[in-house]
């Protein structure tokens, strides 16, 4: 959201002046407060003001880390100190510059993973280690010494055939798979671990450095450099305090950053580390800023750059035709990631690679992680397939929560629907124009003076009646609950938090206060389990007055956003529970807010009902608690286009429930852009339209009948595929598979897909290529897969792959292709909401591959409770082979009663049958009616009439 000057002048924006409006002093205070807030926070309406956010050069620790150039490491591993247990190696690391000691721990982990931890042996005070993100202690794998000499220790990593080489001087780690060098750690010598130390007079440590002269030969220069590298560390500007604009970070603990490099021989393509408004394939950062991971409230963000945005997941994936691997850097502090591309043959690592593997020059990607505080705690996910990496990461941080079924439908939102009558009218408008939708949303204006957990008594005096009206139509509502709390002695939420001492503190011990939507606000300390427990309790129906079981929650501004703070966020020297500084925990804040909210929605139902919570800020593990959207985008074609790689990047790091504001939050889309955005959004996991307060209304019926008809068709396509979407999310829950995925995940040996982010897959069955160009008359389509076939889902036209072709498009076109060999269950009867489709019949779309075979799945339960955990579900499998379609249970432990039956079976790519027979268990047979379309080779079998839970065989004879 953006600030408006008119709003800043209102009394609600300037706290502490109620009751003073009759005095000149009150007026002066209001204007001064508003002017100050305007000066600090107002951003031009066109685009982000980059000067409000740091570059690496303006971040002292990034500058210090980056100043260290590749070369021989100053660290050595004292191999004589090595201690080996069944699953862990401990080795002391010594920094030859100052003789400081670190402890290296290497863990073998089950599932082809390795964990590396580096920490001070005896720090002045404990360093922060990220809690609550891992779902448990990773299972160990056996480590064994398989070789050793004076400078190298060789270990086997579990039973996967991987080996770890630990080199003593200079320190480095290498992981090999057979004779293939997979990954190296500190091969560029960029390990840099700033030890906690007492502050001292920097001037006393400064000494003259011999000047370089023309007569100095190379050996003398190297000698000087070596001597300088061994001198004690000296204090530099920014180590003990740092000023950015008008804000000073006091840094009472001094410099504490950590950095480490990883080299990936044979890899040119790396992905992940969201959130950035950039292409899916990460770019080299040589000559530019590194990718930044620091959760920030960025107003109308720029595209195609490395700036930080609202969330951070420190997981990077690398892929080539042979393997996929991941690097998970578990650190919640501000983090920068440098990426560079090299030719391995020109580096020491490359020469080693050539010697071991033979051959010529090999591409190589080098990745350098730099964090402001904490420890080095990194997981190496060794694949080797993309799906192996997804499972490995899911085993650490959990899988995507199974969303309630309604949340996969369409969501209608804007800032703000004005009052209860406005809500009723918008709801009625969808029925009047025969448009399906499931959820209407309320933004900050619904609350009483931005006091969350309340309702404006004039605009929303009867929230239960409003919610009941929606419930009668089997629809839902989402209301915003932000984590900044209005400082108001008459506000129960504020008083309760303050009385329990649960607010974040300043460095001086007082409650931290900043400016946000309510004016002066305090910030609950969600790192404190007691705060999370209290927050969760506030969603009880008797605490959240006016709430009902069809009201769900949206957490915005949870980076946290502080309008008058440094970089529009919280001061790093603010203090959290346990005495940790905000700098240590910053990227975890939104994660904890969403977690507490999600737990509150579960608790209000007695643990029976699944929550729906949308968050803007996120971290690794946020997938366990709900959905994410891409923030405050704009009504521009490039913002539509960037929504695809942004969601693909999130999907690769475990967050499948992603979407972008349809139509763009800022600015006003023309009809063409709006229609194209609906068409694209209908094929993204989270499907919500949203708009800024200052934009004209955008309900689908306000843009002419022709455009509304196209939007209606996009909405209906979404709703017919809800069973397919829901099954994909069940796969995400159980297997960690991304719902929306890049083509290379399904076609890992097709190098032409490695950088492609205009196309994507939904599961393994649908390929989508939205139209994202203005005035497009056609688009280029690439269909991958050697020897595979694809079918246009609208026309059933068959295409052999691989091939690229030009597809003419109209405003009605949504290019979507079903993969030969797949079966997709759909519900084709249009209804007003997903819940109204509950008992509707299914149609099975069977797309045959070149072998005349196909397979598909369907997961079905009540769509809202946790009863599936008690085996109340159906997980069905459909197989077509040799002219027979069979249905059976994929998980016989699941039992669920449903009235849904099979209405039609559409078989695409088959020859015309003479007859079609239905066989039920027990052997009874009956003939079925069918039609055959010669032009499309489509057989339509009508009314098999069997319950979707039944086993059966349909034979084409």
């Amino acid at each position: 959201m953006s600030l408006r000057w008119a709003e800043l002048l209102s009394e609600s924006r300037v706290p502490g002046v109620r009751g003073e409006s009759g005095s000149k002093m009150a007026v002066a205070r209001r204007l001064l407060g508003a002017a100050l807030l305007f000066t600090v926070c107002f951003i031009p309406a066109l685009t982000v003001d980059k000067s409000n956010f740091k570059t690496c050069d303006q971040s002292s620790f990034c500058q210090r880390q980056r100043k260290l150039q590749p070369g021989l490491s100053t660290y050595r591993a004292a191999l004589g100190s090595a201690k080996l247990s069944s699953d862990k190696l401990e080795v002391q690391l010594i920094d030859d510059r100052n003789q400081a000691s670190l402890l290296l721990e290497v863990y073998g982990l089950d599932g082809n993973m390795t964990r590396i931890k580096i920490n001070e042996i005896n720090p002045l005070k404990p360093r922060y280690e990220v809690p609550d993100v891992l779902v448990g202690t990773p299972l160990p794998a056996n480590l064994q010494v398989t070789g050793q000499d004076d400078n190298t220790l060789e270990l086997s990593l579990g039973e996967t055939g991987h080996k770890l080489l630990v080199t003593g001087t200079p320190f480095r780690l290498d992981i090999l798979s057979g004779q293939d060098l997979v990954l190296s750690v500190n091969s560029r010598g960029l390990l840099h671990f700033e030890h906690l130390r007492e502050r001292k007079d920097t001037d006393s440590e400064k000494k003259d450095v011999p000047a370089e002269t023309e007569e100095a030969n190379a050996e003398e220069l190297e000698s000087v450099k070596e001597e300088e590298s061994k001198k004690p560390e000296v204090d530099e500007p920014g180590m003990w305090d740092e000023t950015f604009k008008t804000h000073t970070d006091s840094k009472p603990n001094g410099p504490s950053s950590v950095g480490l490099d990883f080299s990936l021989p044979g890899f040119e393509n790396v992905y992940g580390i969201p959130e950035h408004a950039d292409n899916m394939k990460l770019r080299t950062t040589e000559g530019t800023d590194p990718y930044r991971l620091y959760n920030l409230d960025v107003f109308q963000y720029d595209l195609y750059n490395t700036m930080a945005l609202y969330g951070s997941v420190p997981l990077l994936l690398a892929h080539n035709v042979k393997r996929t691997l991941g690097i998970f850097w578990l650190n919640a502090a501000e983090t920068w990631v440098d990426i560079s591309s090299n030719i391995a043959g020109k580096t020491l690592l490359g020469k080693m690679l050539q010697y071991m593997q033979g051959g010529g020059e090999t591409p190589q990607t080098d990745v350098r992680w730099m964090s402001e505080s904490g420890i080095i705690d990194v997981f190496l996910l060794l694949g080797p397939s993309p799906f192996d990496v997804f499972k490995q990461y899911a085993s650490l941080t959990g899988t995507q929560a199974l969303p309630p079924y309604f949340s996969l439908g369409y969501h209608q939102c804007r800032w703000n629907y004005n009052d209860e009558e406005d809500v009723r009218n918008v709801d009625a408008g969808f029925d009047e124009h025969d448009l399906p939708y499931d959820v209407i949303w309320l933004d900050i204006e619904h609350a009483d003076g931005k006091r969350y957990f309340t309702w404006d008594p004039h605009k929303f005096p009867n929230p239960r009646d409003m919610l009941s009206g929606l419930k009668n139509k089997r629809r839902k509502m989402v209301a915003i609950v932000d984590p900044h709390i209005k400082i108001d002695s008459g506000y129960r939420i504020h008083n309760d938090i303050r009385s329990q001492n649960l607010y974040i503190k300043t460095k001086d011990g007082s409650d931290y206060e900043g400016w946000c939507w309510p004016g002066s606000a305090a910030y609950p300390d969600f790192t404190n389990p007691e705060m999370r427990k209290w927050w969760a309790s506030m969603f009880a129906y008797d605490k959240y007055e006016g709430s009902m079981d069809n009201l769900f929650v949206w957490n915005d501004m949870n980076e946290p956003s502080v309008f008058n703070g440094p970089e529009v966020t919280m001061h790093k020297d603010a203090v959290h529970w346990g005495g940790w500084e905000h700098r240590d925990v910053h990227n975890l804040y939104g994660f904890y807010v969403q977690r507490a909210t999600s737990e509150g929605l579960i608790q209000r139902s007695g643990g029976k009902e699944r929550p729906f919570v949308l968050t803007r800020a996120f971290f690794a593990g946020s997938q366990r608690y709900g959905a994410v959207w891409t923030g405050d985008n704009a009504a521009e074609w490039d913002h539509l286009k960037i929504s695809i790689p942004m969601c693909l990047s999130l999907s690769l790091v475990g967050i499948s429930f992603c979407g972008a504001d349809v139509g763009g939050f800022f600015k006003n889309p023309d009809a063409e852009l709006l229609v194209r955005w609906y068409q694209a959004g209908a094929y993204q996991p989270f499907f919500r339209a949203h708009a800024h307060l200052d934009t004209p209304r955008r309900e689908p019926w306000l843009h002419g009948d022709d455009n509304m008809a196209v939007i209606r068709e996009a909405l209906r396509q979404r709703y017919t595929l809800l069973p397919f979407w829901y099954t994909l999310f069940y796969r995400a829950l159980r297997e960690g598979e991304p719902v929306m995925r890049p083509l290379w995940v399904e076609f890992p040996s097709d190098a032409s897909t490695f950088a492609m982010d205009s196309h994507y897959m939904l599961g393994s069955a649908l390929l989508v290529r939205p139209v994202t160009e203005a005035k497009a008359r056609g688009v280029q389509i690439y269909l991958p897969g050697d020897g595979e076939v694809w079918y246009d889902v609208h026309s059933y036209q068959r295409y052999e792959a691989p091939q690229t072709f030009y597809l003419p498009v109209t405003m009605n076109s949504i290019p979507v292709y079903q993969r030969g060999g797949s079966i997709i269950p759909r519900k084709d009867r249009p209804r007003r909401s997903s819940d109204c489709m509950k008992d509707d019949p299914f149609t099975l779309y069977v797309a045959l591959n070149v072998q005349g075979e196909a397979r598909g799945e369907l997961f079905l339960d009540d769509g809202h409770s946790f009863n599936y955990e008690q085996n109340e579900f159906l997980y069905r499998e459909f197989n077509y082979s040799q002219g027979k379609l069979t249905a059976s249970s994929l998980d016989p432990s699941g039992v669920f009663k449903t009235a849904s039956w099979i209405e039609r079976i559409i078989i695409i790519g088959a020859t015309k049958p003479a007859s079609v027979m239905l066989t039920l268990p027990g052997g009874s047979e009956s003939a079925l009616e069918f039609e055959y379309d010669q032009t499309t080779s489509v057989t339509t079998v009508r009314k098999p009439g069997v319950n979707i839970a039944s086993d059966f065989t349909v034979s084409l004879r």
Side-chain angles (χ1 to χ4, degrees):
M1 298 181 186
S2 65
L3 295 174
R4 298 188 308 150
W5 177 235
E7 291 178 319
L8 294 176
L9 291 176
S10 71
E11 185 169 292
S12 68
R13 297 292 178 188
V14 187
V17 297
R18 289 194 171 196
E20 298 181 296
S21 58
S23 70
K24 293 181 180 179
M25 182 61 72
V27 173
R29 287 176 181 172
R30 284 198 297 273
L31 290 176
L32 178 60
L36 177 60
L37 184 56
F38 177 84
T39 300
V40 173
C41 305
F42 182 77
I43 304 173
L46 294 178
T47 186
V48 62
D49 182 355
K50 292 184 179 178
S51 70
N52 283 329
F53 304 100
K54 287 183 179 181
T55 64
C56 179
D57 286 343
Q58 294 169 315
S59 174
S60 65
F61 87 87
C62 183
Q63 194 177 40
R64 292 194 304 275
Q65 287 277 346
R66 224 181 185 195
K67 186 171 65 175
L68 183 65
Q69 295 299 306
L72 295 180
S73 177
T74 62
Y75 290 87
R76 55 185 169 88
L79 298 183
S81 69
K83 298 178 182 178
L84 181 65
S85 63
S86 61
D87 65 324
K88 182 174 73 169
L89 170 71
E90 292 184 357
V91 179
Q92 187 173 344
L93 302 181
I94 299 172
D95 186 348
D96 283 335
R97 292 170 298 182
N98 51 26
Q99 301 306 303
S101 296
L102 302 173
L103 178 64
L104 166 70
E105 298 173 286
V106 180
Y107 298 81
L109 300 182
D110 186 51
N112 207 16
M113 298 181 289
T114 300
R115 185 179 192 178
I116 299 169
K117 295 180 72 173
I118 301 176
N119 197 357
E120 294 186 61
I121 293 179
N122 293 302
L124 288 179
K125 58 174 63 177
R127 299 180 68 115
Y128 190 71
E129 299 187 40
V130 176
D132 299 320
V133 168
L134 301 181
V135 292
T137 302
L139 296 175
N142 191 40
L143 290 180
Q144 288 186 334
V145 175
T146 54
Q148 186 171 5
D149 61 26
D150 291 342
N151 198 42
T152 307
L153 185 63
E154 179 185 279
L155 298 96
S156 62
L157 297 172
E159 307 299 325
T160 62
H162 284 83
K163 290 186 177 181
L164 173 70
L165 301 181
V166 184
T167 301
T169 306
F171 163 66
R172 63 180 283 163
L173 301 173
D174 297 287
I175 293 181
L176 293 87
S177 176
Q179 292 299 309
D180 291 337
L181 180 60
V182 176
L183 176 147
S184 294
V185 180
N186 200 41
S187 65
R188 302 171 72 216
L190 297 177
L191 170 61
H192 186 52
F193 199 111
E194 293 184 329
H195 305 263
L196 299 180
R197 58 186 190 270
E198 300 289 348
R199 189 169 191 174
K200 53 190 175 182
D201 182 7
T202 58
D203 290 338
S204 65
E205 297 294 332
K206 292 181 180 179
K207 298 181 181 179
D208 292 334
V209 178
E212 181 180 344
T213 64
E214 292 184 1
E215 292 77 20
N217 58 36
E219 292 183 3
E220 291 173 336
L221 283 175
E222 288 303 314
S223 176
V224 168
K225 289 179 181 179
E226 183 178 352
E227 289 301 316
E228 287 300 315
S229 71
K230 294 182 179 180
K231 289 186 178 181
E233 295 175 327
V234 297
D235 290 345
E236 299 177 17
M239 281 186 167
W240 294 93
D241 55 66
E242 183 174 358
T243 299
F244 178 68
K245 291 198 160 185
T246 61
H247 302 283
T248 298
D249 174 11
S250 63
K251 297 192 179 181
N253 295 319
S256 57
S257 71
V258 297
L260 186 60
D261 67 278
F262 301 81
S263 294
L264 310 174
F267 289 92
E268 294 181 90
N269 301 281
V270 291
Y271 315 91
I273 58 170
E275 185 177 34
H276 302 95
D278 206 354
N279 294 316
M280 175 185 65
K281 178 184 174 181
L282 300 176
R283 65 183 66 204
T284 179
T285 58
E286 294 172 295
T288 67
D289 258 11
Y291 282 96
R292 191 183 188 198
L293 297 175
Y294 191 61
N295 296 0
L296 293 171
D297 179 0
V298 183
F299 171 99
Q300 196 173 326
Y301 46 84
D302 268 0
L303 307 183
Y304 304 108
N305 63 58
T306 60
M307 283 182 65
L309 286 180
Y310 311 98
S312 302
V313 181
L315 170 64
L316 180 140
L317 288 81
H319 177 74
N320 62 24
V321 294
K322 289 185 176 181
R323 69 175 67 246
T324 309
L325 57 82
I327 301 172
F328 176 36
W329 178 269
L330 185 54
N331 191 300
E334 178 186 351
T335 297
W336 300 79
V337 184
D338 252 331
I339 297 170
S340 58
S341 299
N342 293 291
I343 300 298
K346 297 180 180 179
T347 65
L348 181 63
L349 174 62
K351 292 174 182 177
M352 174 183 175
L353 184 67
Q354 286 183 20
Y355 176 77
M356 296 175 63
Q357 298 176 203
E361 294 183 341
T362 302
Q364 174 177 306
T365 296
D366 297 313
V367 182
R368 180 183 191 178
W369 300 77
M370 301 167 283
S371 294
E372 184 175 15
S373 64
I375 70 167
I376 293 174
D377 189 0
V378 60
F379 294 82
L380 306 179
L381 317 179
L382 301 178
S385 76
F387 290 97
D388 290 329
V389 172
F390 299 145
K391 288 181 181 179
Q392 289 157 359
Y393 180 66
S395 73
L396 298 174
T397 67
T399 58
Q400 177 71 56
L402 182 64
Y405 196 84
F406 79 83
S407 65
L408 300 179
Y410 172 64
H411 301 248
Q412 181 67 34
C413 182
R414 76 172 280 110
W415 177 26
N416 200 87
Y417 286 118
N418 299 325
D419 50 31
E420 291 176 2
E421 182 180 6
D422 198 6
V423 169
R424 284 192 295 269
N425 290 339
V426 172
D427 177 69
F430 278 86
D431 293 333
E432 178 184 347
H433 296 95
D434 196 20
L435 298 161
Y437 95 103
D438 265 81
V439 192
I440 190 166
W441 291 52
L442 295 179
D443 212 317
I444 57 175
E445 310 301 333
H446 84 278
D448 181 10
K450 287 48 169 205
R451 298 171 182 86
Y452 306 111
F453 298 100
T454 71
W455 303 85
D456 186 300
H458 305 292
K459 298 177 180 179
F460 296 92
N462 302 298
R464 284 185 179 273
D465 291 345
M466 175 180 63
L467 288 165
S468 294
L470 291 170
K471 189 171 184 177
N472 290 338
K473 292 186 175 182
R474 300 165 84 168
R475 288 175 175 147
K476 314 293 190 291
M477 174 173 277
V478 168
I480 199 166
V481 180
D482 286 348
H484 49 261
I485 302 301
K486 183 179 180 67
I487 297 176
D488 178 355
S489 60
Y491 180 24
R492 174 178 60 90
I493 299 295
H494 166 66
N495 291 336
D496 282 1
I497 298 174
R498 174 164 283 179
S499 68
Q500 296 179 65
N501 199 31
L502 293 175
Y503 278 129
I504 297 169
K505 305 301 181 184
T506 68
K507 61 181 180 179
D508 301 318
S510 59
D511 288 346
Y512 181 92
E513 296 181 12
W515 285 82
C516 209
W517 295 123
S520 188
Y523 291 77
D525 186 358
F526 285 92
T527 68
N528 187 335
E530 290 302 313
M531 178 63 229
R532 298 197 298 272
K533 180 180 178 181
W534 180 89
W535 182 267
S537 73
M538 288 300 101
F539 291 96
Y541 299 123
D542 61 346
K543 298 280 184 68
Y544 190 170
E545 187 177 350
S547 67
M548 289 177 54
D549 60 359
N550 65 329
L551 179 68
F552 297 86
V553 181
W554 171 18
N555 293 147
D556 196 3
M557 316 299 285
N558 54 340
E559 292 75 25
S561 178
V562 183
F563 290 158
N564 61 335
E567 301 191 88
V568 201
T569 192
M570 187 167 287
H571 293 73
K572 289 182 175 179
D573 55 9
V575 180
H576 288 261
W577 175 71
W580 299 108
E581 286 190 290
H582 186 71
R583 84 181 72 252
D584 300 312
V585 305
H586 175 85
N587 288 342
L588 280 173
Y589 191 79
F591 165 90
Y592 278 130
V593 173
Q594 188 187 24
R595 172 181 171 175
T597 303
S598 175
E599 290 171 348
L601 295 188
I602 294 171
Q603 289 173 22
R604 74 178 184 180
S605 69
K608 298 177 181 178
E609 298 296 312
R610 305 204 297 264
F612 172 76
V613 183
L614 179 72
T615 184
R616 190 169 72 176
F618 53 84
F619 191 67
S622 288
Q623 66 269 14
R624 308 199 297 265
Y625 305 115
V628 166
W629 94 107
T630 61
D632 295 345
N633 60 2
E636 298 173 356
W637 287 95
D638 279 348
H639 275 265
L640 166 58
K641 186 178 297 185
I642 205 74
S643 70
I644 299 171
M646 289 182 75
C647 279
L648 287 174
S649 295
L650 283 164
S651 295
L652 287 172
V653 299
I655 300 177
S656 273
F657 207 178
C658 168
D661 286 344
V662 169
F665 179 67
F666 291 109
K667 301 186 180 181
N668 305 313
D670 61 22
E672 182 193 11
L673 175 58
L674 185 65
V675 166
R676 290 302 191 198
W677 216 316
Y678 268 98
Q679 293 172 331
Y683 286 90
Q684 291 180 3
F686 176 57
F687 185 20
R688 181 187 75 155
H690 187 34
H692 188 275
L693 187 71
D694 291 333
T695 62
R697 297 293 283 258
R698 292 192 201 157
E699 285 72 39
W701 53 87
L702 298 177
H703 310 279
D705 290 345
D706 290 344
N707 291 315
M708 181 179 66
V710 180
I711 293 173
R712 180 188 295 117
E713 175 59 24
L715 293 172
R716 286 183 173 177
Q717 288 186 35
R718 172 62 171 221
Y719 276 79
T720 64
L721 284 169
L722 286 181
F724 173 68
W725 282 104
Y726 197 55
T727 301
L728 292 181
F729 271 95
Y730 182 71
R731 297 279 308 176
L733 170 74
R734 291 301 185 211
E735 304 295 335
E737 298 175 359
V739 170
M740 177 182 180
R741 58 190 71 156
L743 297 190
W744 63 260
V745 169
E746 286 294 323
F747 304 94
S749 61
D750 186 346
S752 63
T753 68
F754 292 176
M756 188 176 292
D757 54 22
S758 59
H759 303 49
Y760 58 89
M761 298 292 297
L762 295 178
S764 61
L766 288 183
L767 183 148
V768 185
R769 198 297 189 193
V771 181
T772 58
E773 298 83 20
K775 297 179 173 54
R777 296 183 179 181
V779 294
Q780 291 290 327
I781 303 290
Y782 177 67
L783 298 178
D786 190 16
E788 299 209 26
V789 293
W790 298 83
Y791 302 90
D792 185 308
V793 299
H794 311 296
S795 68
Y796 304 128
Q797 182 174 346
R798 173 187 167 116
Y799 296 87
E800 294 185 358
Q803 69 162 300
T804 300
F805 61 94
Y806 178 81
L807 177 73
V809 297
T810 67
M811 281 303 298
N812 296 295
S813 302
I814 312 177
V816 182
Y817 299 87
Q818 184 171 348
R819 189 178 185 179
S822 67
I823 299 175
I824 295 179
R826 288 173 34 172
K827 288 193 172 185
D828 287 341
R829 296 186 182 184
R831 304 284 188 181
R832 68 155 62 107
S833 72
S834 64
D835 197 43
C836 294
M837 303 168 70
K838 178 180 176 183
D839 295 328
D840 281 354
F842 285 91
T843 296
L844 302 181
Y845 286 77
V846 182
L848 303 185
N849 60 18
V850 293
Q851 290 80 30
E853 298 175 344
R855 183 190 176 278
E857 299 177 0
L858 173 67
F859 174 79
L860 194 64
D861 70 345
D862 62 23
H864 60 84
S865 78
F866 287 102
N867 290 350
Y868 70 89
E869 295 179 346
Q870 308 304 317
N871 294 328
E872 293 184 24
F873 66 87
L874 294 174
Y875 194 21
R876 306 292 295 166
E877 180 179 29
F878 307 99
N879 276 289
Y880 187 96
S881 180
Q882 297 181 342
K884 293 183 179 181
L885 174 67
T886 60
S888 58
S889 176
L890 261 176
D891 188 344
S893 68
V895 178
F896 180 71
K897 292 183 178 180
T898 175
S900 292
W901 51 285
I902 298 178
E903 182 176 35
R904 290 184 303 166
I905 301 171
I906 296 177
I907 302 170
I908 312 166
T911 56
K912 183 178 180 179
S915 63
V916 178
M917 303 296 295
L918 171 67
T919 305
L920 297 176
S924 64
E925 286 191 341
S926 58
L928 299 176
E929 296 180 4
F930 71 94
E931 295 176 358
Y932 184 76
D933 186 328
Q934 187 73 39
T935 60
T936 58
S937 299
V938 171
T939 302
T940 301
V941 181
R942 301 195 177 279
K943 295 185 178 179
V946 295
N947 189 281
I948 194 68
S950 300
D951 292 352
F952 65 85
T953 299
V954 171
S955 304
L956 276 66
R957 299 177 177 175

